[in-house]
Amino acid sequence: MRYRPDIDGLRTVAVVPVVLFHTGLAFPGGFVGVDVFFVISGFLITSLLLSELDEGKFSVAKFYERRARRLFPALFAMLAVTGAGATVFMTSFDLESFAKSSVATTVFAANIWFYSQQGYFTEAAELSPLLHTWSLGVEEQYYIFFPLILYGLMRWSSARVTLLLTALMSCASLAAAVYMLNVSAKAAFYLPQYRAWELLTGSLLAMGFWQKWSILQEMPARAAHLQGLAGLAAIVIPTLIYSAATPFPGLAALAPCLGAAALIASGGSGRTFSARFLSLPLMTFIGKLSYSLYLWHWPVVVYAFYRYGSLSTSTGILCLFISFVLAYLSYRFVETPVRSRKRFSERKVFLGSAAGMACFILAGLTLWKLDGLPSRMDPNLLAMSDSENFMHDRRDCHFMTAERAHAGDICVRGRDAETPGFVLVGDSHADAISPAIFGAAEDLGIAGYQFTDAGFAPLLGVRELGERDKGTMDAFVEFLDERPEINTVIIQNYWLHIVTGATYRHQGDVWLDAEYDGSLTDYNPKAVKRGLERLASRFPDRRFILLDDVPSGSDLHVREQLRHMKLDRTETLGLKSEINLEQRMIYEDLLKSLAEDVPNISYRPIYEDLCDDEVCHLFDGDVLLFRDGDHLSWKGALRLKPSAHELLSVLYPNSQSPRL
């Protein structure tokens, strides 16, 4: 293949939005740059494979040797430096998590690992220095399977059949991605079968060039100019208008992928406006650094988050500068020398790759086995970081499923042998407050059911985009239908999360109402309002009590405070009260309006005592109130027992006198 400077420039168009997005400086949809990289990779790799297959020179060993020569040196350098930093700066639980991701990255499975652990737009992502290697995992899995598939197709069928089958694979992958986006958005984002169509888009374009399609060979100059400009716009516009709330990838990824394909297709002559722009020296220079820049920028950003807790504009600019310096050094002194076949033979590349992989796997497994070297931390603080130590002893009542509900496996808590008259329903926040609710119920001589599950919100006719319908809502409706003795439904949820789709550890989550009108504004608040109205209307003879919610933020997370302590940062052990007030303002008016508009809905705040005028405290004396940034510890929940007692006393005035 002849060198095409416009493709190096296209790499710049891909990597710069990603880096600026991660540093918080620009491009809210900059993550689409990764999709552009996929198209470029598919095009270049398939072009080389077709050339070798056409000349009868294809060799699996040589292909993997070239990939190892291209990918491993800079990757190993980044892993070594990032691992050293993690060992020095990270707490033991974060170091253990890093070690696991390091092993996954080394064995080409980073995307699968992060799929099993977390989403891309979450608070946890900011503490994962290797999260960005998920895209390398997708590419490496493509490199493992596609050459063999292409070789088999080319050997046993015609070029047309190969092209047709590749197109069918691409369409099937896209269709599966669109479907999976509504079932599991994480799977659609991370797993290779839902990303393959992006790489195959580049592969199909390479096949078109190889077969010398007239549409690519004889494109009129004006059409080529327009196509190039349209392709550039199809990439740039999504970087400006997409955000973490955009359902992605799926159909939303079509624009940047087709834009990249259009730029490659129109730029072959090098004479179009877009090709000349992409071929500018600065564009090609950054493009040549793009792989190293992509590798180094995210660990730099993560360690800045780790050190400061957030990124200011000045810190983001500093991260950008450091990333470019590391990228240049990596390109100049790591990538470039290893590409020299005189200095590094094929044998040296294979031996070096095998040795490097073995070292990083061994180091990762060792740190994993040693639990992240906890001896570096105070044992008392370390014990405090384990949330399991601060959960109540009735966790068996949580994690309600449709199957459990249908089987009648629903906990009754409070006074034994009493007929349950109420139900506490909601997500993990409801489970966390349950010691206070049911402790007060026991004192008053009453009992209730607990119907809670992780992330469950009793919003009738509402679903979370990208999450599979577990049938839990239908099971809850059936549960109420079958138990007329339940006269009160107490609802507790992470309201800030549902109303905004964003918290300190979430971003971009969307709840859609069955009557969704396509509006891109206020869809979450509308879904909450309609879902609760619909539920109250479905059971007009029941009373629904909406509780307020716990203050939340990383400053209420013990592990975050331990990170601060390890880095000798003096912090207030708690969340500023003004932040809690801002959080309440986001959801409280909605809950109050529901209580005013719907006769059988009431709103009752019970969490206000957790904060004074200055701080929502992490500790009350020596008692840890929060087990993490938005869940009460069981002792913290008991601090709210008087408020719960007052609530139930109003609901059940004929209950026996309290025994506090």
Side-chain angles (χ1 to χ4, degrees), residues 548-567:
D548 58 337
D549 199 11
V550 68
S552 63
S554 58
D555 287 338
L556 291 171
H557 198 314
V558 174
R559 290 192 171 188
E560 180 67 18
Q561 296 293 352
L562 293 182
R563 294 180 187 108
H564 297 170
M565 294 175 187
K566 183 167 178 56
L567 294 169

Side-chain angles (χ1 to χ4, degrees), residues 28 57 124 146 155 170 262 267 292 302 405 431 598 629:
K57 296 180 180 179
F146 184 71
R155 181 167 183 177
S170 181
S292 282
V302 167
D431 176 61
V598 183

